[in-house]
Amino acid sequence: MKISRQPTPVTIKIDQKQLENVKCFKYLGSLLTDDGRSTSEIKSRIAMAKAAFSKKKNLFTSKLDLNLRKKLVKCYIWSIALYGAETWTLRAVEQKHLESFEMWCWRRMQKISWTDYVRNEEVLIRVSEQRNILHEIRKWKANWIGHVLHRNCLLKEVMEGKIEGQIEVTRRRGRRHKKMLDDLGDTRGYCHLKEKALDRIKWRNCFGRDCGPVVLTDY
């Protein structure tokens, strides 16, 4: 699979057999696509999580304590939906998909149909929750990226773009593609993020639970 702006196929032969060019494939449980985006992976994860919820619907909608059922949903259902979320690049459309999934969980748990015309704010009050799923992803991503940035490893070099070779870079019209590190919301750039990552206490203070709301931006 070739991830590039140019659609030309790649020719690779092994034992005189040419490898097939594909637009997507699964690697370590995650769906990779040739556009480099996370949209297909997020939709696939949400579908699997909804299927898992439906299998245990009687448990999640039972008369068990509300706090216990919420913990079960976050432990068993969200863990399926957010597998590998640390590496996702979230545009506005993906963030809306995830927030819709979050509300879907609470509505199903409370047996609230879309025909009941109950607003999302009212649903959140009934389950004593706030919109939290994007916060969780941001926190997981900060923990993972912080762990990578204060180590000297291959993954760190990949994130920094330290790859030898020469490529022709052309300027395209429109805004640039959103990058994975953009979700952390530090407008001062990668160098400042790296500097903070070297101080674990400072990093945790910046990207802890109370780090502020996630801003929807589309790129």
Side-chain angles (χ1 to χ4, degrees):
M1 183 175 70
K2 179 182 179 182
I3 301 177
S4 174
R5 296 173 181 174
Q6 285 77 28
T8 54
V10 179
T11 302
I12 300 177
K13 292 185 178 181
I14 299 179
D15 295 334
Q16 304 303 319
K17 293 183 179 179
Q18 183 173 335
L19 297 183
E20 178 187 0
N21 285 266
V22 297
K23 293 185 176 296
C24 65
F25 70 89
K26 276 217 168 188
Y27 178 71
L28 298 179
S30 296
L31 188 64
L32 306 180
T33 56
D34 61 353
D35 59 5
R37 292 178 174 172
S38 306
T39 307
S40 298
E41 167 66 2
I42 292 172
K43 289 182 178 180
S44 174
R45 281 282 147 195
I46 289 176
M48 287 188 282
K50 287 183 176 181
F53 187 101
S54 298
K55 289 182 180 179
K56 298 294 182 181
K57 182 179 178 180
N58 293 335
L59 173 64
F60 298 129
T61 59
S62 65
K63 295 182 179 181
L64 288 174
D65 180 71
L66 175 62
N67 290 328
L68 176 59
R69 286 186 287 142
K70 289 194 298 183
K71 289 180 180 179
L72 290 173
V73 167
K74 291 181 179 180
C75 178
Y76 294 106
I77 305 303
W78 283 23
S79 60
I80 295 174
L82 303 184
Y83 175 82
E86 296 88 343
T87 62
W88 292 348
T89 300
L90 298 177
R91 301 175 300 153
V93 61
E94 286 91 12
Q95 292 176 4
K96 290 177 181 178
H97 282 319
L98 290 164
E99 286 195 321
S100 296
F101 164 73
E102 181 180 14
M103 295 307 305
W104 182 91
C105 290
W106 303 141
R107 285 178 178 273
R108 291 299 185 277
M109 194 178 72
Q110 292 297 97
K111 298 180 180 179
I112 301 174
S113 172
W114 65 273
T115 58
D116 295 334
Y117 299 103
V118 179
R119 295 175 62 86
N120 287 336
E121 291 76 11
E122 175 63 25
V123 175
L124 292 172
I125 292 173
R126 293 186 188 183
V127 297
S128 302
E129 280 286 337
Q130 297 179 350
R131 290 185 180 270
N132 192 47
I133 196 166
L134 295 181
H135 266 303
E136 286 297 308
I137 294 175
R138 188 167 184 255
K139 184 171 66 175
W140 294 1
K141 181 173 289 190
N143 290 338
W144 177 71
I145 291 177
H147 179 70
V148 172
L149 291 184
H150 68 248
R151 297 177 59 216
N152 291 320
C153 59
L154 177 61
L155 183 56
K156 179 180 176 182
E157 293 186 4
V158 172
M159 289 178 61
E160 293 180 343
K162 293 181 178 179
I163 302 175
E164 295 183 0
Q166 295 181 351
I167 59 174
E168 181 181 354
V169 179
T170 57
R171 175 70 176 173
R172 295 196 309 168
R173 292 184 178 180
R175 290 179 290 182
R176 67 174 179 83
H177 281 307
K178 190 174 184 182
K179 298 180 180 179
M180 183 177 64
L181 294 176
D182 292 342
D183 292 327
L184 297 183
D186 195 313
T187 58
R188 285 171 286 186
Y190 172 77
C191 292
H192 188 259
L193 280 176
K194 187 176 179 180
E195 180 182 345
K196 286 193 293 188
L198 297 177
D199 187 334
R200 294 175 185 268
I201 296 177
K202 183 185 295 185
W203 184 266
R204 289 170 183 168
N205 289 337
C206 291
F207 300 108
R209 176 61 183 87
D210 300 323
C211 56
V214 176
V215 180
L216 293 177
T217 55
D218 197 358
Y219 290 91

